[in-house]
Amino acid sequence: MAAISMRNIVKRYDDGYQAVRDVSLDIADGEFVILVGPSGCGKSTLLRMIVGLEDITSGEMVIGEQRVNDKAPRDRNLSMVFQNYALYPHLTVFENIAFPLRLKKVRDDEVKAKVTEVAAVLELTENLDRKPANLSGGQRQRVAMGRAIVRDADAFLFDEPLSNLDAKLRGQMRTEIARLQRRLGTTTVYVTHDQTEAMTLGDRIAVLRKGELQQVGTAHQLYEEPVNLFVAGFIGSPPMNFVPGRISGGRVETPLGTMRVTSDRVRRVGDRDPVLLGLRPEFFADATLLAPFERGRGFNFTAHVDVTEWLGSQLYAYVPYEAPREITERLRTLQRELDSEQMRTQLVIALSLDSRIRSDSEASLWLDPDRMHVFDPATGANLTYDPDRAFD
């Protein structure tokens, strides 16, 4: 195993396009780090530079205290699992897993012992004599993982390994990968565009945007303390609501109504016009289900619910609101950058399953203003960001 240190990494192609911009990131020995972001953000390019499949324009790549910029992939002792499995169709599962050992001319008895051990870990023992064409997608992915594990590499690199699987199988494989990494304790770098994978798998998450590193932290840190609009919009499903507002004289004016500034984090922002308020769906509630003392410590308002969605274990209400043109354009730009769910001038509110709020109706709603974030619409910076906030 080995730590990985990226110091001011830049990747610029011959046509001048800069795919990675001055990225510095330290990954500890045995740590599981996720590189996440929308398509084209540079995450796969960065992974390929770690393994040596892409040249580094400038900066230093250090693996296990050795500078590896000029080392060939075969000399870095890294294992990579690709999106398309990259299995040899004419070889059995046994020989696909054993392939790296065959290249190193490992003795047959040692090959058999190592492949048998890895196959048992990945629950592939009964499939060792089968060909890849006769396996399910999940089994093929486990074979690809087995081929990576059997090498005793210093680090595992995963390049969107679950994107070809259906939703149910992705959930199962996420659990298997997390359990396997904890068991082996091998340094792991995992690339994905799926924020659900990012939130559930890694020790830390590194969010990339247009080749630049935006924020690094635990899933909890990125969810509760996003450094800017981009991270706030990318992490979380449904995404954070962004509502235009104005802070003046200890009050916050919004399309939902005017509320008093109660939290110190918002007070520190001071008077500002305009701002974007960041409100997660779970910051809201059906006011009719709350006790009087709970309603009294929040902001109560009445709004027209356009649509409700019942998903069995979840209930969402959609509340449209009016916004200035510049705010609407800012949200559309953010939507394009995120390459994800559409951000309209509407609230997405998470409701208790006991709620009787229905589509096309007036509803009494409640908001916890102490939890809201305040963003600068021009720069995207989170004006209430607290880097020293403690998390359990």
Side-chain angles (χ1 to χ4, degrees):
M1 295 184 290
I4 300 173
S5 180
M6 291 169 261
R7 302 168 183 169
N8 306 109
I9 297 295
V10 172
K11 176 61 181 180
R12 186 182 297 104
Y13 290 100
D14 293 339
D15 62 1
Y17 177 73
Q18 197 163 331
V20 176
R21 304 167 182 264
D22 196 29
V23 169
S24 294
L25 177 64
D26 290 323
I27 301 171
D29 188 6
E31 189 177 18
F32 194 156
V33 170
I34 309 292
L35 303 180
V36 70
S39 300
C41 72
K43 55 189 183 295
S44 289
T45 303
L46 192 59
L47 191 78
R48 290 169 65 85
M49 285 193 286
I50 295 173
V51 78
L53 298 177
E54 291 275 3
D55 293 332
I56 298 171
T57 304
S58 65
E60 283 194 334
M61 185 73 66
V62 179
I63 301 176
E65 299 183 354
Q66 289 189 354
R67 186 179 184 274
V68 299
N69 290 45
D70 302 320
K71 283 193 173 185
R74 65 177 177 273
D75 299 323
R76 300 191 186 194
N77 195 30
L78 304 174
S79 286
M80 191 161 181
V81 179
F82 297 91
Q83 176 180 341
N84 62 357
Y85 317 139
L87 302 178
Y88 297 102
H90 63 289
L91 297 181
T92 63
V93 168
F94 183 99
E95 290 300 332
N96 265 285
I97 296 175
F99 191 78
L101 303 177
R102 300 292 191 200
L103 288 178
K104 291 184 177 181
K105 303 191 183 306
V106 175
R107 296 195 320 269
D108 285 349
D109 58 337
E110 189 175 344
V111 170
K112 183 176 181 181
K114 285 193 173 186
V115 173
T116 301
E117 180 184 2
V118 169
V121 170
L122 295 171
E123 298 181 3
L124 290 170
T125 302
E126 296 180 357
N127 298 291
L128 288 175
D129 295 327
R130 303 177 71 188
K131 299 288 182 66
N134 300 321
L135 303 177
S136 68
Q139 289 171 326
R140 293 179 196 177
Q141 192 56 271
R142 289 204 297 273
V143 175
M145 290 167 58
R147 187 174 56 192
I149 294 167
V150 79
R151 290 187 55 195
D152 293 326
D154 290 333
F156 298 149
L157 309 178
F158 290 84
D159 190 6
E160 304 203 43
L162 308 184
S163 58
N164 289 338
L165 306 180
D166 60 49
K168 182 178 180 180
L169 196 51
R170 279 201 302 271
Q172 295 173 352
M173 287 301 298
R174 280 201 307 268
T175 304
E176 290 187 25
I177 290 173
R179 184 181 295 120
L180 183 64
Q181 198 277 338
R182 284 198 301 271
R183 176 174 176 175
L184 299 175
T186 305
T187 307
T188 301
V189 185
Y190 186 107
V191 162
T192 182
H193 66 277
D194 185 335
Q195 60 99 18
T196 301
E197 286 181 28
M199 295 281 283
T200 56
L201 275 176
D203 298 319
R204 287 189 302 154
I205 303 169
V207 182
L208 289 154
R209 172 193 185 191
K210 296 181 179 178
E212 294 183 354
L213 190 60
Q214 300 294 295
Q215 188 173 1
V216 183
T218 65
H220 196 179
Q221 288 169 334
L222 267 58
Y223 189 85
E224 296 289 350
E225 288 291 336
V227 71
N228 57 30
L229 275 172
F230 183 86
V231 176
F234 192 85
I235 299 296
S237 182
M240 182 181 285
N241 297 293
F242 297 113
V243 178
R246 174 176 177 265
I247 303 176
S248 177
R251 304 179 76 81
V252 183
E253 299 176 16
T254 77
L256 312 176
T258 300
M259 65 187 87
R260 290 181 290 104
V261 174
T262 56
S263 68
D264 290 338
R265 57 189 289 146
V266 178
R267 284 197 184 99
R268 287 194 294 267
V269 173
D271 292 353
R272 275 185 177 261
D273 182 22
V275 294
L276 274 174
L277 307 177
L279 308 169
R280 296 255 181 224
E282 64 270 21
F283 294 1
F284 296 85
D286 181 341
T288 64
L289 300 179
L290 300 179
F293 78 91
E294 290 179 297
R295 290 200 298 270
R297 67 175 184 82
F299 172 61
N300 296 271
F301 64 102
T302 301
H304 181 79
V305 173
D306 188 22
V307 174
T308 57
E309 288 182 340
W310 179 76
L311 303 177
S313 61
Q314 299 167 311
L315 175 63
Y316 294 110
Y318 293 81
V319 177
Y321 62 83
E322 295 294 327
R325 180 179 177 182
E326 60 269 21
I327 296 297
T328 302
E329 289 300 320
R330 183 70 179 91
L331 293 179
R332 287 176 180 169
T333 300
L334 181 62
Q335 173 199 326
R336 289 192 294 269
E337 290 182 358
L338 293 172
D339 190 26
S340 62
E341 300 178 50
Q342 188 169 2
M343 292 188 174
R344 301 173 179 172
T345 51
Q346 66 177 5
L347 296 174
V348 181
I349 296 174
L351 296 173
S352 164
L353 294 178
D354 295 329
S355 175
R356 293 295 176 261
I357 294 175
R358 295 294 179 261
S359 301
D360 194 23
S361 65
E362 295 298 312
S364 296
L365 299 168
W366 177 90
L367 166 66
D368 183 354
D370 289 345
R371 301 180 67 186
M372 70 181 175
H373 300 271
V374 180
F375 297 91
D376 184 330
T379 66
N382 185 351
L383 303 174
T384 50
Y385 173 65
D386 181 4
D388 298 322
R389 182 179 172 188
F391 292 90
D392 294 333

